[in-house]
């Protein structure tokens, strides 16, 4: 048995491969374009492992995807591949439209052609699982109920609009063509192999480098945080037992204002690797210009996946953050590797000097 998984050289995808092989020997064909966010060193443990077949390529390359499907005959396709950083989508939305919308469209068409020609049993068992985000639901006020699967889509950034579009395409390919799809909408992940353009790894990286810890606006925007391996376990559970055509919200019941998250990171670093001058890393907190159109609050109602599939997060925010900080301290070589060249250019575009 084989699954074809896209975007698995990135943050969540590479954690997915680690989580998958800890539980199963089923082969993964990993199709990834290796953009700035894709990094094969995340998967060094599986370099010579026959269970992992890496193919560099674009989800929108119909000929390549058709060849991979025909050669490997997967029982499922999981789509993690995307442009994923909101701030980059504000500076340059084109790549987000190209991969998240047009790429997903081409992938759906390639998969539909393959699925249509499967035998009855394989056709019934096949799944297309699309990995998406809570940002498609828009922004909540402090008193709103958390996002449920029945909430209307109200995306506010080029990133979330492109993800919402892809979710709609996936839904339509089920409704119109009967493709057996599953969609997951998850909150903010954190953990190992997180590229240091996102808040948590950026703060750890800057803190250790003695640089400012940039807080957009007043730092009171709220996100729900989930340890990445809990997300990966949820995806495996949805693949195994999710009802075809359904969407499942995934979250950690861990709503925190950004400033609290950054203060927690500083406190953990103060304990694990105190600053030479004895001051707290919190001294480095710096308020900077807000993100345009910054969503105020995300929160996930994860009761459906808990009730129907028996999934629950295993990590608390405190245990997950402690593990994450320790991982970054122990993997400074990985951080050095991903923060060269184009990363520096990004910092200068986003944060100026
Ligand atoms: P990431 O940016 O770390 O990784 C994306 C991966 O996709 C990279 O390896 C990249 O090379 C690859 N890729 C990009 N364009 C491609 C293309 N056209 N063809 C093939 N591969 C391509 O992203 P991530 O944080 O790991 O997110 C993975 C998925 O999960 C995305 O769909 C994202 O929207 C979703 N998601 C992320 C979070 C989060 O907190 N990071 C939360 C919920 C959902
Ligand atoms: O909610 C799920 C989404 O979470 C995923 O779909 C996205 O792929 C993922 O990038 C993430 O989006 P966010 O915009 O919430 O994550 P980010 O880490 O970029 O920012 C988290 C919060 O911290 C957000 O409110 C913006 C703020 N922030 C971010 C950065 C990079 C800062 O205050 N300063 C910063 O320097």
């Amino acid at each position: 048995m084989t699954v074809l998984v896209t975007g698995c050289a990135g943050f969540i995808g590479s954690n997915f491969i680690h989580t998958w092989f800890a539980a199963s020997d089923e082969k993964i064909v990993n199709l990834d374009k290796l953009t700035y966010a894709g990094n094969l060193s995340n998967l060094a443990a599986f370099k010579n492992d026959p269970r992992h077949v890496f193919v560099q390529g674009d989800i929108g390359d119909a000929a390549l995807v058709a060849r991979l499907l025909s050669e490997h005959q997967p029982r499922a396709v999981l789509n993690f591949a995307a442009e994923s950083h909101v701030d980059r989508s504000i500076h340059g939305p084109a790549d987000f439209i190209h991969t998240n919308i047009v790429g997903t469209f081409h992938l759906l068409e390639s998969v539909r052609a393959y699925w249509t020609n499967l035998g009855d049993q394989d056709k019934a068992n096949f799944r297309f699982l699309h990995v998406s985000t809570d940002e498609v639901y828009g922004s909540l006020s402090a008193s709103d109920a958390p996002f449920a699967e029945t909430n209307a889509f109200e995306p506010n950034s080029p990133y979330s609009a492109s993800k919402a579009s892809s979710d709609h395409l996936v839904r339509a390919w089920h409704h119109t063509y009967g493709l057996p799809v599953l969609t997951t909408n998850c909150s903010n992940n954190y953990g190992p192999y997180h590229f240091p353009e996102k808040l948590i790894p950026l703060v750890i990286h800057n803190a250790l480098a003695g640089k400012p810890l940039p807080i957009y606006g007043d730092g009171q925007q709220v996100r729900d945080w989930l340890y990445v391996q809990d997300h990966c376990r949820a995806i495996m559970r949805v693949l195994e037992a999710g009802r075809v055509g359904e969407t499942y919200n995934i979250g950690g019941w861990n709503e925190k204002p950004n400033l609290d998250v950054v203060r927690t990171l500083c406190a953990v670093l103060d304990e694990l690797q105190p600053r030479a001058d004895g001051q707290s890393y919190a001294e480095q907190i710096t308020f900077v210009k807000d993100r345009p159109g910054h969503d105020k609050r995300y929160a996930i109602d994860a009761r459906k996946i808990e009730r129907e599939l028996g999934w629950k997060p295993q990590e608390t925010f405190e245990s997950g953050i402690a593990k994450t900080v320790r991982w970054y301290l122990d993997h400074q070589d990985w951080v050095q590797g991903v923060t060269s060249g184009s990363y520096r250019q990004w910092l200068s575009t986003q944060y100026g000097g």
Side-chain angles (χ1 to χ4, degrees):
M1 303 259 273
T2 298
V3 292
L4 172 65
V5 190
T6 71
C8 275
F11 164 48
I12 302 177
S14 58
N15 276 285
F16 181 79
I17 291 194
H18 284 264
T19 311
W20 180 272
F21 287 140
S24 162
D25 284 333
E26 184 174 357
K27 188 164 93 181
I28 289 184
V29 179
N30 172 7
L31 172 64
D32 194 296
K33 190 175 173 180
L34 294 184
T35 66
Y36 79 92
N39 186 351
L40 279 181
S41 74
N42 301 0
L43 298 168
F46 307 110
K47 195 169 173 215
N48 298 313
D49 190 325
R51 298 173 302 172
H52 176 230
V53 177
F54 177 75
V55 180
Q56 183 171 6
D58 194 313
I59 56 168
D61 182 341
L64 171 64
V65 175
R67 179 172 68 70
L68 293 177
L69 291 168
S70 149
E71 205 172 299
H72 296 281
Q73 297 285 308
R75 68 170 176 101
V77 172
L78 286 76
N79 185 32
F80 290 79
E83 290 293 336
S84 70
H85 190 32
V86 174
D87 294 317
R88 285 188 193 253
S89 83
I90 295 167
H91 286 281
D95 286 348
F96 290 73
I97 307 304
H98 174 77
T99 286
N100 300 0
I101 307 180
V102 182
T104 303
F105 158 70
H106 286 300
L107 182 65
L108 280 165
E109 278 297 78
S110 306
V111 171
R112 181 165 76 91
Y114 164 74
W115 170 78
T116 303
N117 290 315
L118 289 175
D120 288 348
Q121 193 62 46
D122 289 343
K123 206 170 172 183
N125 291 339
F126 185 82
R127 297 289 182 269
F128 180 91
L129 190 154
H130 180 61
V131 179
S132 193
T133 170
D134 60 358
E135 300 201 11
V136 298
Y137 297 117
S139 182
L140 296 168
S141 72
S143 58
D144 285 334
F147 300 129
E149 289 81 357
T150 47
N151 276 48
F153 280 17
E154 292 179 353
N156 292 318
S157 71
Y159 164 69
S160 55
S162 69
K163 289 297 289 186
S165 306
S166 67
D167 292 14
H168 283 317
L169 292 174
V170 171
R171 177 189 157 90
W173 260 240
H174 172 64
H175 192 79
T176 304
Y177 304 113
L179 189 69
V181 307
L182 298 156
T183 299
T184 57
N185 293 88
C186 188
S187 57
N188 285 60
N189 286 213
Y190 65 97
Y193 305 113
H194 205 180
F195 192 73
E197 63 185 357
K198 310 278 169 66
L199 180 71
I200 287 182
L202 178 86
V203 162
I204 299 171
H205 179 56
N206 281 13
L208 294 171
K211 291 187 186 160
L213 312 181
I215 307 281
Y216 297 163
D218 61 5
Q220 292 310 310
Q221 301 80 16
V222 172
R223 297 291 182 264
D224 168 58
W225 294 95
L226 181 69
Y227 190 65
V228 62
Q229 279 156 17
D230 277 324
H231 183 193
C232 296
R233 281 187 279 268
I235 291 170
M236 285 170 63
R237 188 69 194 124
V238 172
L239 178 65
E240 190 178 17
R243 283 186 292 133
V244 165
E246 293 289 314
T247 67
Y248 291 89
N249 283 359
I250 304 170
W253 303 105
N254 269 315
E255 281 185 61
K256 312 261 176 219
N258 294 334
L259 194 53
D260 288 13
V261 170
V262 173
R263 289 209 170 109
T264 301
L265 288 168
C266 290
V268 175
L269 281 166
D270 287 342
E271 200 180 307
L272 295 180
Q273 185 137 317
R275 262 174 47 163
D277 63 2
Q279 300 277 314
S280 169
Y281 287 100
E283 295 293 318
Q284 290 163 234
I285 289 176
T286 309
F287 291 88
V288 301
K289 187 162 63 76
D290 207 352
R291 172 185 281 175
H294 199 168
D295 284 340
K296 182 74 186 152
R297 173 178 167 237
Y298 305 143
I300 280 277
D301 178 344
R303 283 177 296 178
K304 180 176 172 182
I305 188 172
E306 292 176 1
R307 190 178 59 243
E308 289 189 12
L309 304 180
W311 171 87
K312 267 193 188 311
Q314 293 180 7
E315 298 291 341
T316 63
F317 185 67
E318 289 66 30
S319 67
I321 282 291
K323 273 189 180 178
T324 302
V325 172
R326 246 180 257 117
W327 188 88
Y328 279 88
L329 290 173
D330 292 345
H331 293 83
Q332 282 297 302
D333 50 340
W334 180 88
V335 177
Q336 311 285 305
V338 299
T339 52
S340 55
S342 67
Y343 177 75
R344 295 207 187 102
Q345 203 179 328
W346 164 249
L347 291 186
S348 137
T349 306
Q350 175 64 5
Y351 302 98

